[in-house]
Amino acid sequence: MSRIRVAIQKSGRLSESSLGLLQSCGLRFAKSKDKLFWYGQDFPVDLLLVRDDDIPRLLLDGVCELGIVGQNIAREVMLERNGGSGLEELRPLQFGGCRLSLAVPEASTASSAKDLDGARIATSYPALTRALLEEQGVSARIVELSGSVEIAPGLGTADAISDLVSTGTTLRANHLRELQELFRSTAALYRSAAPMSEESSTLLDRLLARLDGVLQAQECKYVMLHAPRDQVDTITALLPGAEHPSVMELEGTPGRVALHAVCRETLFWEHLEALKGAGATAILVLPVEKMLA
Ligand code: ATP
Ligand code: ZN
């Protein structure tokens, strides 16, 4: 019987969420403490725990069928190795969000990427940075560094950097100013574009169906509230992505009803405030654990 191998990051920002996501799909693994390989117990999907940078290459080389890695790395390796192709993004995921941004020393007069034409740009993402700058007609001299990119301008080895940013704290600590975002990235599930056996593809379809259920459920919330009966339509319209709510009598309070609905889009505090403004009380928001449409 065929098995599928999924490569995930061994230890780092994506590790916990990647493993958690697969476990939410019902996958259980026989862990071997120091080993790279975890055997899938109830479902024929095994894990390979590696450095994130190696994941795209493992897919391109056919060592594993699937991998969870940042779009930043997948794009970089595809551009470097394969003319920009070779991996298929199956599903973007809701973690590992960051941006690849250009940053310059605080004192720089540059106001956009265009001002960096001919400048030396330090980065760990040479191919991606070059491609994104070329799209804007900017040709830069790339200084490739594998880490600590943010210290390059201070050392005088580059005029600017192109690096991953999430909060901007590292930039500020190094007296750098974010100039322009080049690329937005999240983690994603990739497969190699090479053909799969029929058995493996059936297995992949089963895994994707489970994954879609989990991803959908993560966004979904079950909302319960009390509302004036004459406000039911207004309140339903305020619930993001909700279809037909259940409306129930409230014992002893004519004119008020209980309303239950599934919201299929992210529910923010602003939504709850708007509901309150429309007369809703006792608002409860619950996570949805599983969903099969
Ligand atoms: P490894 O040892 O596996 O090579 P690493 O140090 O290269 O680990 P991490 O720092 O764990 O990698 O980052 C993994 C991925 O997390 C990045 O490629 C990126 O997609 C995402 N990420 C999210 N936020 C950030 C951030 N602020 N800085 C860097 N990467 C981030
Ligand atoms: Zn890495």
Side-chain angles (χ1 to χ4, degrees), residues 21-118:
L21 184 64
L22 296 172
Q23 287 173 333
S24 315
C25 293
L27 308 191
R28 297 284 170 266
F29 303 98
K31 299 175 192 177
S32 47
K33 244 207 153 118
D34 303 307
K35 290 218 190 99
L36 289 178
F37 184 83
W38 289 7
Y39 184 81
Q41 288 182 314
D42 325 313
F43 200 77
V45 170
D46 305 317
L47 274 192
L48 222 57
L49 293 106
V50 294
R51 286 200 56 197
D52 66 341
D53 313 60
D54 295 334
I55 294 174
R57 290 182 193 87
L58 291 170
L59 291 173
L60 290 171
D61 294 342
V63 176
C64 44
E65 288 76 21
L66 299 178
I68 296 178
V69 69
Q71 292 163 331
N72 52 316
I73 294 194
R75 290 280 293 269
E76 174 68 26
V77 175
M78 281 195 276
L79 285 167
E80 245 170 50
R81 274 251 322 222
N82 230 40
S85 63
L87 299 181
E88 186 190 339
E89 184 179 306
L90 293 173
R91 299 290 183 276
L93 304 172
Q94 291 153 349
F95 56 87
C98 56
R99 54 192 192 273
L100 185 72
S101 276
L102 289 171
V104 289
E106 276 160 3
S108 162
T109 53
S111 63
S112 78
K114 304 249 184 275
D115 298 324
L116 296 180
D117 204 35

Side-chain angles (χ1 to χ4, degrees), residues 61-219:
D61 294 342
V63 176
C64 44
E65 288 76 21
L66 299 178
I68 296 178
V69 69
Q71 292 163 331
N72 52 316
I73 294 194
R75 290 280 293 269
E76 174 68 26
V77 175
M78 281 195 276
L79 285 167
E80 245 170 50
R81 274 251 322 222
N82 230 40
S85 63
L87 299 181
E88 186 190 339
E89 184 179 306
L90 293 173
R91 299 290 183 276
L93 304 172
Q94 291 153 349
F95 56 87
C98 56
R99 54 192 192 273
L100 185 72
S101 276
L102 289 171
V104 289
E106 276 160 3
S108 162
T109 53
S111 63
S112 78
K114 304 249 184 275
D115 298 324
L116 296 180
D117 204 35
R120 295 166 306 161
I121 303 185
T123 186
S124 308
Y125 298 92
L128 185 56
T129 298
R130 182 170 283 120
L132 294 167
L133 286 174
E134 268 169 14
E135 277 172 19
Q136 305 187 48
V138 176
S139 116
R141 287 147 62 199
I142 302 287
V143 179
E144 187 175 348
L145 294 176
S146 59
S148 304
V149 167
E150 63 283 353
I151 62 172
L155 295 175
T157 52
D159 307 303
I161 67 167
S162 161
D163 202 10
L164 294 181
V165 183
S166 47
T167 58
T169 320
T170 311
L171 292 185
R172 279 190 294 279
N174 288 279
H175 305 290
L176 296 171
R177 162 168 71 83
E178 190 169 352
L179 185 67
Q180 192 182 315
E181 174 183 307
L182 289 175
F183 181 70
R184 248 180 199 286
S185 178
T186 65
L189 175 70
Y190 287 91
R191 63 164 281 189
S192 95
M196 250 182 204
S197 73
E198 212 179 297
E199 216 184 331
S200 296
S201 342
T202 309
L203 195 54
L204 174 60
D205 289 343
R206 273 179 70 201
L207 180 63
L208 287 178
R210 289 188 183 192
L211 185 65
D212 287 339
V214 172
L215 295 176
Q216 242 186 50
Q218 281 177 356
E219 280 229 322

